Amino acid sequence: MTPSAGTGAAARTAARRAAPSSRSGQARHRRLVAAAFLLPALVLLGALVVHPIGYSVYRSLFDRSGDRFVGGDNYAEILRDDAIRTAVENTAVWVVVAPAAATALGLVFAVLTERVRWGTAFKLLVFMPMAISMLAAGIIFRLVYDHDPDRGAANAVLVAVHDTFAPASAFPKARPGRDSPLAPGQGADAGGYVTREPVRAGTPVLLPLVGVAPGALPEGTRTARPAGAEPGRVTGTAWQDFTRGGGGRTNAVDPAESGFAGMRIEAVKDGRVVESATTRADGTFGMSAKADGALLRLPASNFREAYAGVDWLGPSLVTPAIIGAYVWMWAGFAMVLIAAGLASVPRELLEAARVDGANEWQVFRRITVPLLAPVLAVVLVTLVINVMKIFDLVFVIAPGSVQDDANVLALQLYRTSFGTDADAGLGSAIAVLLLVLVVPVMLYNIRRMRREARR
């Protein structure tokens, strides 16, 4: 072997030995570059997530002042405190109902909007509430759920529908005055009024009532007029026995008093209605000889209270009402994600099912929903995590008197940790509990995303 050949072989051997160390150095350099890029994010993650979580766990082991170590006493207090137990129960209701309702509604909207020409405009309208903050949405629905039908849209609709089929009376506050010839009805007549004595034909009957504001009298009401005697007929007057400014006579028709127009009068004998009449604009009425010897009854329908709607923000309905507001906001989010998944569903599968004789419900249940299962899982899990920390809507919509009934964990965390009676130790324990409840859902979501990535 020549010297030059030996030198070349030695150089190649040295190059092969140097190559691994060179590659190792390049890999180390790449890791350092990656770490340099990740460092700001890691610092922020540590400062904004890891440190608060660690400090909350640490602080939950101390008392209100933070000076005395109490161990698990704060966690035991969570089990004993009625307000916190209510918050946990309401949070469970939120987790079960709100995500499922929003996802189901979003699925229906996504499927139906594919079949209409104005589907895009409808999607825009349904998604628009997502542009509103939770605070603004809470204020909107606080007004929507107002108990006064003149202010609350929900009760305005209910009252309008109710009054269409069962209109309220014009005399809900009317009642007999002192020494009145009318007495409260009993049994089947409860809620109405009955004359104390049977009436006689040819003798006018006086039916005085009080308690109706002048402005609440029916339109077209006139000044009351005493009914004239008519042989063989029962006549009378029903009127407002009250003179503005005083000076009127009790149980007598005075010139300044108003008649009760449209009031129903019934003549009752032996428990049966034998004759009925409706008062005229001046309060007068007339009946045939059938009413002779009968008791006159003013039935309860004359005094039916106006329907005031539903107490949406009362103790029993406040949580469902707030969940309704949440679904209104987030159904659009669910619809958009599900519609994106629906666009990727192979149309030939749907058409093949229809050709095989499947109806639309079977196609939807057996093909569309199973194919959309991954998307539905994403939406459902996202909303579950979202509702577990719901705070804004409950805080804004629920009045102070029923906030305990609408309480959720995030709101209880705020109420416990801040204010004049703040207990940072118990508040930190509630925060840790909320974290423990959220973590399994997050882990499920991570595993599901990894399975999707492997596919």
Side-chain angles (χ1 to χ4, degrees), residues 332-342 375 378-379 382:
F333 167 81
M335 178 195 66
V336 169
L337 292 188
I338 295 170
L342 195 59
V375 178
V378 171
V379 174
T382 302

PDB file of all heavy atoms in Angstrom, residues 332-342 375 378-379 382:
ATOM      1  N   GLY A 332     -75.802  28.622  18.078  1.00  0.00           N
ATOM      2  CA  GLY A 332     -75.168  29.034  16.826  1.00  0.00           C
ATOM      3  C   GLY A 332     -73.760  28.493  16.687  1.00  0.00           C
ATOM      4  O   GLY A 332     -73.341  28.072  15.597  1.00  0.00           O
ATOM      5  N   PHE A 333     -73.003  28.475  17.788  1.00  0.00           N
ATOM      6  CA  PHE A 333     -71.659  27.891  17.780  1.00  0.00           C
ATOM      7  C   PHE A 333     -71.724  26.414  17.404  1.00  0.00           C
ATOM      8  O   PHE A 333     -70.970  25.926  16.540  1.00  0.00           O
ATOM      9  CB  PHE A 333     -71.042  28.073  19.167  1.00  0.00           C
ATOM     10  CG  PHE A 333     -69.804  27.256  19.413  1.00  0.00           C
ATOM     11  CD1 PHE A 333     -68.577  27.682  18.959  1.00  0.00           C
ATOM     12  CD2 PHE A 333     -69.879  26.056  20.113  1.00  0.00           C
ATOM     13  CE1 PHE A 333     -67.438  26.924  19.196  1.00  0.00           C
ATOM     14  CE2 PHE A 333     -68.755  25.296  20.348  1.00  0.00           C
ATOM     15  CZ  PHE A 333     -67.523  25.733  19.884  1.00  0.00           C
ATOM     16  N   ALA A 334     -72.660  25.681  18.036  1.00  0.00           N
ATOM     17  CA  ALA A 334     -72.809  24.260  17.723  1.00  0.00           C
ATOM     18  C   ALA A 334     -73.231  24.068  16.274  1.00  0.00           C
ATOM     19  O   ALA A 334     -72.733  23.170  15.575  1.00  0.00           O
ATOM     20  CB  ALA A 334     -73.834  23.626  18.671  1.00  0.00           C
ATOM     21  N   MET A 335     -74.133  24.906  15.798  1.00  0.00           N
ATOM     22  CA  MET A 335     -74.625  24.773  14.426  1.00  0.00           C
ATOM     23  C   MET A 335     -73.501  24.941  13.405  1.00  0.00           C
ATOM     24  O   MET A 335     -73.406  24.173  12.439  1.00  0.00           O
ATOM     25  CB  MET A 335     -75.711  25.810  14.171  1.00  0.00           C
ATOM     26  CG  MET A 335     -76.276  25.802  12.774  1.00  0.00           C
ATOM     27  SD  MET A 335     -77.208  27.306  12.417  1.00  0.00           S
ATOM     28  CE  MET A 335     -75.898  28.535  12.474  1.00  0.00           C
ATOM     29  N   VAL A 336     -72.646  25.929  13.608  1.00  0.00           N
ATOM     30  CA  VAL A 336     -71.575  26.193  12.647  1.00  0.00           C
ATOM     31  C   VAL A 336     -70.606  25.018  12.581  1.00  0.00           C
ATOM     32  O   VAL A 336     -70.216  24.562  11.493  1.00  0.00           O
ATOM     33  CB  VAL A 336     -70.837  27.498  13.016  1.00  0.00           C
ATOM     34  CG1 VAL A 336     -69.562  27.648  12.203  1.00  0.00           C
ATOM     35  CG2 VAL A 336     -71.747  28.697  12.794  1.00  0.00           C
ATOM     36  N   LEU A 337     -70.192  24.485  13.734  1.00  0.00           N
ATOM     37  CA  LEU A 337     -69.261  23.346  13.730  1.00  0.00           C
ATOM     38  C   LEU A 337     -69.906  22.108  13.118  1.00  0.00           C
ATOM     39  O   LEU A 337     -69.276  21.381  12.326  1.00  0.00           O
ATOM     40  CB  LEU A 337     -68.802  23.046  15.152  1.00  0.00           C
ATOM     41  CG  LEU A 337     -67.909  24.094  15.831  1.00  0.00           C
ATOM     42  CD1 LEU A 337     -67.400  23.558  17.149  1.00  0.00           C
ATOM     43  CD2 LEU A 337     -66.727  24.474  14.944  1.00  0.00           C
ATOM     44  N   ILE A 338     -71.160  21.861  13.468  1.00  0.00           N
ATOM     45  CA  ILE A 338     -71.833  20.679  12.934  1.00  0.00           C
ATOM     46  C   ILE A 338     -72.077  20.832  11.443  1.00  0.00           C
ATOM     47  O   ILE A 338     -71.952  19.860  10.669  1.00  0.00           O
ATOM     48  CB  ILE A 338     -73.148  20.434  13.688  1.00  0.00           C
ATOM     49  CG1 ILE A 338     -72.842  20.083  15.148  1.00  0.00           C
ATOM     50  CG2 ILE A 338     -73.948  19.312  13.048  1.00  0.00           C
ATOM     51  CD1 ILE A 338     -74.068  20.047  16.043  1.00  0.00           C
ATOM     52  N   ALA A 339     -72.402  22.029  10.992  1.00  0.00           N
ATOM     53  CA  ALA A 339     -72.598  22.259   9.555  1.00  0.00           C
ATOM     54  C   ALA A 339     -71.312  22.023   8.782  1.00  0.00           C
ATOM     55  O   ALA A 339     -71.335  21.487   7.665  1.00  0.00           O
ATOM     56  CB  ALA A 339     -73.109  23.678   9.328  1.00  0.00           C
ATOM     57  N   ALA A 340     -70.160  22.395   9.377  1.00  0.00           N
ATOM     58  CA  ALA A 340     -68.876  22.125   8.727  1.00  0.00           C
ATOM     59  C   ALA A 340     -68.634  20.621   8.608  1.00  0.00           C
ATOM     60  O   ALA A 340     -68.148  20.130   7.576  1.00  0.00           O
ATOM     61  CB  ALA A 340     -67.752  22.787   9.512  1.00  0.00           C
ATOM     62  N   GLY A 341     -68.978  19.878   9.663  1.00  0.00           N
ATOM     63  CA  GLY A 341     -68.841  18.427   9.584  1.00  0.00           C
ATOM     64  C   GLY A 341     -69.832  17.814   8.612  1.00  0.00           C
ATOM     65  O   GLY A 341     -69.513  16.850   7.905  1.00  0.00           O
ATOM     66  N   LEU A 342     -71.017  18.381   8.547  1.00  0.00           N
ATOM     67  CA  LEU A 342     -72.045  17.865   7.647  1.00  0.00           C
ATOM     68  C   LEU A 342     -71.644  18.042   6.185  1.00  0.00           C
ATOM     69  O   LEU A 342     -72.006  17.219   5.333  1.00  0.00           O
ATOM     70  CB  LEU A 342     -73.362  18.581   7.927  1.00  0.00           C
ATOM     71  CG  LEU A 342     -74.643  17.976   7.351  1.00  0.00           C
ATOM     72  CD1 LEU A 342     -74.844  16.562   7.869  1.00  0.00           C
ATOM     73  CD2 LEU A 342     -75.835  18.854   7.703  1.00  0.00           C
ATOM     74  N   VAL A 375     -67.709  15.061  15.343  1.00  0.00           N
ATOM     75  CA  VAL A 375     -67.974  16.498  15.460  1.00  0.00           C
ATOM     76  C   VAL A 375     -68.886  16.769  16.657  1.00  0.00           C
ATOM     77  O   VAL A 375     -68.673  17.724  17.416  1.00  0.00           O
ATOM     78  CB  VAL A 375     -68.612  17.033  14.163  1.00  0.00           C
ATOM     79  CG1 VAL A 375     -68.934  18.516  14.287  1.00  0.00           C
ATOM     80  CG2 VAL A 375     -67.701  16.780  12.986  1.00  0.00           C
ATOM     81  N   VAL A 378     -66.895  16.728  19.783  1.00  0.00           N
ATOM     82  CA  VAL A 378     -66.118  17.962  19.964  1.00  0.00           C
ATOM     83  C   VAL A 378     -66.996  19.068  20.530  1.00  0.00           C
ATOM     84  O   VAL A 378     -66.646  19.750  21.503  1.00  0.00           O
ATOM     85  CB  VAL A 378     -65.492  18.401  18.622  1.00  0.00           C
ATOM     86  CG1 VAL A 378     -64.884  19.792  18.750  1.00  0.00           C
ATOM     87  CG2 VAL A 378     -64.443  17.406  18.178  1.00  0.00           C
ATOM     88  N   VAL A 379     -68.161  19.253  19.929  1.00  0.00           N
ATOM     89  CA  VAL A 379     -69.066  20.314  20.375  1.00  0.00           C
ATOM     90  C   VAL A 379     -69.518  20.064  21.807  1.00  0.00           C
ATOM     91  O   VAL A 379     -69.508  20.968  22.656  1.00  0.00           O
ATOM     92  CB  VAL A 379     -70.276  20.409  19.428  1.00  0.00           C
ATOM     93  CG1 VAL A 379     -71.296  21.411  19.957  1.00  0.00           C
ATOM     94  CG2 VAL A 379     -69.828  20.802  18.034  1.00  0.00           C
ATOM     95  N   THR A 382     -66.676  20.551  24.379  1.00  0.00           N
ATOM     96  CA  THR A 382     -66.350  21.973  24.491  1.00  0.00           C
ATOM     97  C   THR A 382     -67.383  22.706  25.335  1.00  0.00           C
ATOM     98  O   THR A 382     -67.044  23.526  26.197  1.00  0.00           O
ATOM     99  CB  THR A 382     -66.274  22.615  23.091  1.00  0.00           C
ATOM    100  OG1 THR A 382     -65.298  21.924  22.313  1.00  0.00           O
ATOM    101  CG2 THR A 382     -65.906  24.084  23.188  1.00  0.00           C
TER     102      THR A 382
END
